[in-house]
Amino acid sequence: MLIGSGCVRSVSAAWVGNVSAGLAHCYRRAMEEGVPRRITVRDHSNFSIAQALLAGAIGAPYIPTRSLLGSDIPRANGTFREAESPFDGSRVLLIPAIVPDVAVLAVQRADEDGNAHLWGPWGVSQEAALAAKKVIVLADEVVPREEITSDPNRTICPAWKVAAVCEVPGACHPSPLQGRYGRDHEFFHEYHRRTRTAEGFDDWVGEWVTGTRDHDEYLAKLGRRWEELREDGVPSVPAAY
Amino acid sequence: MLIGSGCVRSVSAAWVGNVSAGLAHCYRRAMEEGVPRRITVRDHSNFSIAQALLAGAIGAPYIPTRSLLGSDIPRANGTFREAESPFDGSRVLLIPAIVPDVAVLAVQRADEDGNAHLWGPWGVSQEAALAAKKVIVLADEVVPREEITSDPNRTICPAWKVAAVCEVPGACHPSPLQGRYGRDHEFFHEYHRRTRTAEGFDDWVGEWVTGTRDHDEYLAKLGRRWEELREDGVPSVPAAY
Amino acid sequence: MEVSPGEIMVAQAAREIRDRERVFVGMRLPLIAFVVAKRTHAPRAVGLFELGIVRDEPAPELLYTMGDTPNVSGAVWCARTIDLMGLLQRGEVEAGFIGGAEIDAHGNLNTTAVGGDRSRPKVQLPGSGGGADIASLAQRLIVIMPHDKRRLRERVDFITSPGYLAGGDARRRAGLPRGGPSVLITTLGVFRFPDGEAVLVSYHPGQSVGSVRAATGWELRVADDVRETEPPSADVLRVIRGYDPEGFWTRRAE
Amino acid sequence: MEVSPGEIMVAQAAREIRDRERVFVGMRLPLIAFVVAKRTHAPRAVGLFELGIVRDEPAPELLYTMGDTPNVSGAVWCARTIDLMGLLQRGEVEAGFIGGAEIDAHGNLNTTAVGGDRSRPKVQLPGSGGGADIASLAQRLIVIMPHDKRRLRERVDFITSPGYLAGGDARRRAGLPRGGPSVLITTLGVFRFPDGEAVLVSYHPGQSVGSVRAATGWELRVADDVRETEPPSADVLRVIRGYDPEGFWTRRAE
């Protein structure tokens, strides 16, 4: 959507698409036709982007890997370097650190200071948060501090990195948030169908983005569909601290 | 104790001592006098050993750092290399991966397959487990599989790496295990006093190691002292999955 | 109900998974192949999902994406991507599934872009995801894709996921520590890579060497003992159709 | 009750912590200094413990080690060592405390071994722990140690934790990105490092420039405005004695 709206100049990513539905039309239009504007892309793989963020998170200038040797990704990316390991002369690919200006994290709960609990697969969330200069937390629920400190192993990054905590129930829709709501598959498919053309995309944005005042109105527009996605989840067996 | 008993040939560590009590007498005797045998040491810092294990855990040959530049640790360690970052020519220290044959992890709970939950500070536990060829889990409690799968974010390493799960309540004593038992400070201090001489150490081992048939007998010998260390802990607020 | 190409592919893919193996599982057909393997000959196989999930039991319901909530419920480990990719790089993952838009006879795959140059392609594809890592680092690669001349090409426009590169020992010389495609399963047949180059070992029921050749963009090599692909057993079909009752993945028009 | 050298050191160390700073806290005196700072002028300081704990409130009771269970209860983050060391390497930690067995006038510290060579030392010390990392990477290093001629030496036997190395721009030339000792607090006085070399800025009550010189192994440099160290206020003493009522750390014979 950011690409389709012309807000993006450059993308560093391992994968851009509409999972389960197909290719990402806005991304295709931008890359193939320069519509609405030309973007540049730095190709990555899941591992290389995770390593770049890990390097950023621990303040390492780069991390060496064996992945992608022989692939065209390093050439297309342009920031990697091939080198020999000084330990055994074997070939390695050096992935330089990525330090994002901002990382946006959606989590189940956070306190007012920004101490955030995320569960379910972490993907690259933690590395991205630690690597970033600042973090914006979208919390499904803002909870008392005691709920966070009752389980400090679940905290994903230190509060001093968090520039803003926003209580936004349903922030991930149409993607899921473990224990809160499931995935809205049909919403993805509908988006896919309607954004085949640039006009269709503008129409969709007019309806769902600029056409709703805020996220509450967006959820209200979803109506019963949103209610049906909600899941209670099964509570974890507590850990005693 | 392993050093004092002559079971160790070489140590790679950032710190060897008796926290809160003082220097480690067995380590001193081995290094200073070769008693009961000479050992070699590869000096590390907490960060360098964490990076070496992280490199082992992700299969990277090494990780570059800025730490320890100018310190005598790299020279004493002998396995690090100084290099220039090919990205900007700045000086880096390359810490090669450590791949332990075995990592021993004490955890609060594990299932029979070896899926283990650990909470409290992780230190280098996860990197060590992932870097190791195999893992031995000492579980304070063996629990049904459902207790593990109720909270998969707490799992520390995959079960396929776990060669053995041993149910050993109190395995960490005199060290603490969060939510289960506190630290036995006096036991550390007593060990420190009694192991000042090699004879004192042998005497101590005769009483507490070879002198007890198994860990149950060890705990029974602790008696009320062990009971007084036990903590119930405060249950975490559950996460719903 | 007639057996679909998707079902034949799933059945063949399931046969590629051995018991107790750790397998990087993709979505769609690979996921169903993993379910079939688990419920038939490989009950102790373990599935890894690149966003950070490890399961020793497949999710009980059909998934659209690996992040769907049922894929997390019942997982034995929710990890980070780097943890699982790290174990992959260590060589602890025996097999991995990937697909692609294009493949060449050396098993090199393109999921990045077709035509034009990289900065202005004719068709922009989604990119590697974890595919290039799995292709680089798994002990064995299982490739699944639709079969037509524009996809099985003499040369791919971009090597996203390295196969045997130019063939011979090119893969080792590039610095890759192990692996390479062990099988390519298409909508028409099955290829293996005995010396780093694709050889047709079977054609699916209803196909022939000739029909496969006609749909293949490189000069087809055929195994001496080429034969018809073994169709799915009734048991296997029951598992497939139980898991994907509406044929969302296994009976869709590709 | 007379003010002990430990209490004077803790009070001075607490003054080195500014509000809202992230501080790598060690055990013993640094921990108590952190408690004092939090309860007086730096209520929003955050403490990091190298085994992987972040607290914005000190543990309510006296700790013997940072792994004691009360140090985990109430923590805002239980992390891994690598997470916190990584944030340190990124430059996100303003101040760190360390001690040592030996220090030289350039603030280089030895906690590894004294005498002999590394493979057969006269006295084997515990090693770096996180000390060398904090010394390498924190924005500012606060050093606390007992003062005597064998500890404040012309040259240390082993540089575990780099200070200003040979002085001048040696630290920068070695490749360290920032930092270096900002203060050395001993049982006798306080030193600062205006140009990478220790200068006595104050002597504790009961001491003098002469008594400090007599106990220092290098040629003492003295600040023009050297004066007596400010003694702990009644408030500060109350915090110290409330936290360490038996004087386990603050009144022990060193």
Side-chain angles (χ1 to χ4, degrees):
Chain A
M1 280 184 233
L2 288 172
I3 292 171
S5 305
C7 306
V8 172
R9 194 162 57 197
S10 174
V11 174
S12 291
W15 200 90
V16 180
N18 188 331
V19 202
S20 88
L23 300 179
H25 298 304
C26 290
Y27 182 48
R28 284 194 63 183
R29 271 192 294 275
M31 288 300 291
E32 297 167 14
E33 303 160 37
V35 172
R37 61 182 283 184
R38 191 145 289 289
I39 61 173
T40 59
V41 60
R42 288 207 189 284
D43 288 314
H44 269 275
S45 70
N46 284 356
F47 195 17
S48 74
I49 200 128
Q51 288 173 108
L53 291 168
L54 175 62
I58 66 171
Y62 56 88
I63 287 183
T65 186
R66 313 283 188 198
S67 197
L68 307 185
L69 291 167
S71 162
D72 286 335
I73 291 175
R75 187 173 45 75
N77 178 288
T79 71
F80 306 163
R81 305 246 174 161
E82 270 202 32
E84 281 187 1
S85 162
F87 294 97
D88 63 3
S90 61
R91 200 173 290 191
V92 290
L93 188 67
L94 308 182
I95 313 290
I98 292 180
V99 177
D101 293 308
V102 185
V104 182
L105 284 193
V107 305
Q108 285 93 344
R109 62 189 179 203
D111 70 14
E112 290 185 350
D113 290 334
N115 296 299
H117 280 185
L118 174 66
W119 58 94
W122 276 20
V124 298
S125 304
Q126 184 169 44
E127 291 82 1
L130 295 176
K133 291 179 193 154
K134 57 185 173 186
V135 175
I136 296 172
V137 168
L138 308 180
D140 205 54
E141 193 183 357
V142 172
V143 299
R145 173 189 167 83
E146 292 66 36
E147 196 162 327
I148 300 299
T149 58
S150 84
D151 201 359
N153 283 92
R154 232 186 265 291
T155 304
I156 196 158
C157 81
W160 74 70
K161 303 199 73 139
V162 177
V165 181
C166 316
E167 192 169 38
V168 186
C172 299
H173 179 274
S175 288
L177 185 63
Q178 197 65 31
R180 302 283 170 143
Y181 44 90
R183 187 172 186 271
D184 192 343
H185 307 298
E186 185 43 37
F187 199 90
F188 277 99
H189 298 156
E190 189 189 317
Y191 176 83
H192 187 65
R193 285 190 300 270
R194 288 183 54 185
T195 59
R196 264 180 220 289
T197 63
E199 298 66 38
F201 170 75
D202 290 341
D203 182 62
W204 191 93
V205 166
E207 180 178 349
W208 285 98
V209 181
T210 56
T212 55
R213 206 190 329 256
D214 54 23
H215 202 72
D216 286 342
E217 202 173 300
Y218 171 94
L219 292 182
K221 182 168 158 63
L222 283 171
R224 222 179 99 187
R225 176 179 194 164
W226 167 239
E227 291 309 318
E228 282 167 0
L229 290 170
R230 303 187 75 138
E231 294 176 355
D232 285 334
V234 179
S236 62
V237 176
Y241 280 83
Chain B
M1 278 184 233
L2 288 172
I3 291 171
S5 305
C7 306
V8 172
R9 195 162 55 199
S10 175
V11 174
S12 291
W15 200 90
V16 180
N18 188 331
V19 201
S20 87
L23 300 179
H25 298 304
C26 290
Y27 182 48
R28 285 194 62 182
R29 272 191 295 275
M31 288 300 290
E32 297 167 15
E33 304 160 34
V35 172
R37 61 182 282 185
R38 191 145 290 289
I39 62 174
T40 60
V41 61
R42 287 206 189 285
D43 288 315
H44 269 275
S45 70
N46 284 356
F47 195 17
S48 74
I49 201 126
Q51 288 174 107
L53 291 169
L54 175 62
I58 67 171
Y62 56 88
I63 288 183
T65 186
R66 312 283 187 199
S67 196
L68 306 185
L69 291 166
S71 162
D72 286 335
I73 292 176
R75 185 174 46 76
N77 179 287
T79 70
F80 305 163
R81 304 245 173 163
E82 270 202 32
E84 280 186 3
S85 162
F87 294 97
D88 63 5
S90 62
R91 199 173 289 191
V92 289
L93 187 68
L94 309 181
I95 313 289
I98 291 180
V99 177
D101 294 307
V102 184
V104 182
L105 284 192
V107 305
Q108 284 92 347
R109 63 191 179 201
D111 70 15
E112 289 185 350
D113 290 335
N115 296 299
H117 279 185
L118 174 66
W119 58 94
W122 276 19
V124 298
S125 303
Q126 183 167 46
E127 292 81 2
L130 295 176
K133 292 179 192 152
K134 58 185 173 187
V135 175
I136 297 172
V137 168
L138 307 181
D140 205 54
E141 192 183 359
V142 172
V143 299
R145 173 189 168 83
E146 291 67 35
E147 195 162 329
I148 300 299
T149 58
S150 84
D151 200 0
N153 283 92
R154 232 186 266 289
T155 303
I156 194 158
C157 81
W160 74 70
K161 302 200 73 138
V162 177
V165 181
C166 317
E167 191 170 38
V168 186
C172 298
H173 179 273
S175 288
L177 185 63
Q178 196 66 31
R180 302 282 169 144
Y181 43 90
R183 186 170 186 271
D184 192 342
H185 308 297
E186 185 43 38
F187 200 89
F188 277 99
H189 298 157
E190 188 189 317
Y191 175 83
H192 187 65
R193 285 190 300 270
R194 287 184 54 185
T195 59
R196 262 181 222 287
T197 63
E199 298 66 39
F201 171 74
D202 290 342
D203 181 62
W204 191 93
V205 167
E207 179 178 349
W208 286 98
V209 182
T210 57
T212 56
R213 207 188 330 257
D214 55 22
H215 202 70
D216 286 343
E217 202 173 301
Y218 171 94
L219 292 182
K221 182 168 157 63
L222 283 171
R224 222 179 101 186
R225 176 179 192 163
W226 167 239
E227 291 309 318
E228 283 168 359
L229 290 170
R230 302 187 76 140
E231 295 175 356
D232 284 335
V234 180
S236 62
V237 176
Y241 280 84
Chain C
M1 192 158 53
E2 214 176 319
V3 177
S4 74
E7 289 168 337
I8 293 169
M9 292 163 87
V10 165
Q12 183 58 41
R15 288 180 202 119
E16 304 292 332
I17 301 174
R18 302 172 197 153
D19 199 16
R20 293 175 185 272
E21 285 192 329
R22 278 85 68 163
V23 183
F24 250 98
V25 184
M27 281 299 101
R28 310 189 177 202
L29 303 191
L31 172 66
I32 304 174
F34 176 65
V35 172
V36 169
K38 284 288 292 181
R39 299 201 183 154
T40 55
H41 65 280
R44 308 196 53 144
V46 175
L48 290 79
F49 299 85
E50 60 203 26
L51 80 173
I53 296 171
V54 175
R55 298 190 67 96
D56 57 13
E57 285 301 327
E61 53 187 280
L62 186 70
L63 304 176
Y64 290 77
T65 78
M66 56 181 80
D68 289 4
T69 54
N71 203 35
V72 176
S73 305
V76 287
W77 188 24
C78 264
R80 298 164 305 165
T81 294
I82 193 99
D83 295 325
L84 302 194
M85 288 293 172
L87 291 163
L88 176 71
Q89 183 162 248
R90 284 170 54 91
E92 297 197 26
V93 179
E94 282 89 355
F97 283 97
I98 68 174
E102 298 184 342
I103 191 169
D104 67 23
H106 292 116
N108 303 301
L109 280 136
N110 176 15
T111 54
T112 299
V114 175
D117 71 31
R118 181 68 200 93
S119 66
R120 190 158 189 166
K122 191 148 163 292
V123 182
Q124 173 64 52
L125 303 170
S128 158
D133 307 309
I134 296 169
S136 297
L137 301 170
Q139 291 181 27
R140 235 167 52 236
L141 190 67
I142 304 163
V143 184
I144 302 187
M145 51 186 283
H147 198 137
D148 75 48
K149 246 192 156 77
R150 290 166 313 142
R151 288 174 173 271
L152 279 68
R153 292 181 59 187
E154 185 67 36
R155 235 183 110 86
V156 295
D157 284 348
F158 188 100
I159 299 180
T160 311
S161 296
Y164 296 102
L165 300 171
D169 65 348
R171 184 178 168 96
R172 194 186 50 72
R173 277 188 290 111
L176 291 170
R178 67 186 79 85
S182 74
V183 67
L184 162 64
I185 303 167
T186 74
T187 36
L188 304 185
V190 177
F191 296 79
R192 298 208 179 268
F193 296 80
D195 51 5
E197 205 183 318
V199 173
L200 183 72
V201 296
S202 73
Y203 42 84
H204 297 336
Q207 301 297 329
S208 65
V209 169
S211 71
V212 172
R213 178 174 288 123
T216 301
W218 63 71
E219 200 177 326
L220 191 70
R221 286 178 64 194
V222 180
D224 293 342
D225 58 348
V226 69
R227 55 189 178 77
E228 192 177 86
T229 309
E230 192 185 330
S233 68
D235 265 5
V236 164
L237 272 182
R238 193 160 37 241
V239 175
I240 295 173
R241 291 172 182 176
Y243 198 74
D244 184 17
E246 295 176 28
F248 185 86
W249 297 123
T250 50
R251 305 184 73 80
R252 60 175 12 194
E254 285 284 353
Chain D
M1 195 158 50
E2 215 176 318
V3 178
S4 74
E7 289 168 338
I8 294 169
M9 292 163 87
V10 164
Q12 182 59 42
R15 287 178 203 121
E16 304 291 330
I17 301 174
R18 302 171 198 153
D19 199 16
R20 292 174 186 272
E21 286 192 328
R22 278 85 68 164
V23 183
F24 250 98
V25 185
M27 281 299 101
R28 309 189 179 201
L29 302 191
L31 172 66
I32 304 174
F34 176 65
V35 172
V36 169
K38 284 287 294 182
R39 299 201 184 155
T40 55
H41 64 280
R44 308 197 54 145
V46 175
L48 290 79
F49 299 85
E50 59 203 24
L51 80 173
I53 297 172
V54 176
R55 298 190 69 94
D56 58 13
E57 285 300 327
E61 53 187 281
L62 186 71
L63 304 176
Y64 289 77
T65 77
M66 56 181 80
D68 290 3
T69 54
N71 203 35
V72 175
S73 305
V76 287
W77 189 24
C78 264
R80 298 164 305 165
T81 295
I82 193 98
D83 296 325
L84 302 194
M85 287 292 171
L87 291 163
L88 176 71
Q89 184 162 248
R90 283 169 55 90
E92 297 197 26
V93 179
E94 282 89 355
F97 282 96
I98 68 174
E102 296 185 342
I103 191 168
D104 67 21
H106 292 116
N108 302 301
L109 280 136
N110 176 15
T111 54
T112 298
V114 175
D117 71 32
R118 181 68 200 93
S119 65
R120 190 156 189 167
K122 192 149 163 290
V123 182
Q124 173 65 53
L125 303 170
S128 157
D133 306 309
I134 296 168
S136 297
L137 302 169
Q139 291 181 28
R140 233 167 52 235
L141 190 67
I142 303 163
V143 184
I144 302 188
M145 50 187 283
H147 198 136
D148 75 47
K149 244 190 157 78
R150 289 165 314 141
R151 288 174 173 272
L152 278 70
R153 292 181 58 187
E154 184 68 36
R155 235 181 109 86
V156 295
D157 284 349
F158 187 100
I159 298 180
T160 310
S161 297
Y164 295 102
L165 299 171
D169 66 347
R171 184 179 168 95
R172 193 186 51 71
R173 277 187 290 112
L176 292 170
R178 69 186 78 85
S182 73
V183 66
L184 162 63
I185 303 168
T186 74
T187 35
L188 303 186
V190 178
F191 296 79
R192 298 211 178 266
F193 296 80
D195 50 6
E197 205 183 318
V199 173
L200 182 72
V201 296
S202 73
Y203 43 84
H204 298 336
Q207 301 298 329
S208 65
V209 169
S211 71
V212 172
R213 179 175 287 124
T216 301
W218 63 71
E219 200 176 327
L220 190 70
R221 286 178 65 194
V222 180
D224 292 342
D225 58 348
V226 67
R227 54 188 179 78
E228 191 177 87
T229 309
E230 192 185 331
S233 68
D235 266 5
V236 164
L237 272 184
R238 194 160 36 240
V239 175
I240 295 172
R241 291 172 183 177
Y243 198 74
D244 184 15
E246 295 176 28
F248 186 86
W249 297 124
T250 49
R251 306 184 72 80
R252 60 173 13 193
E254 286 284 352

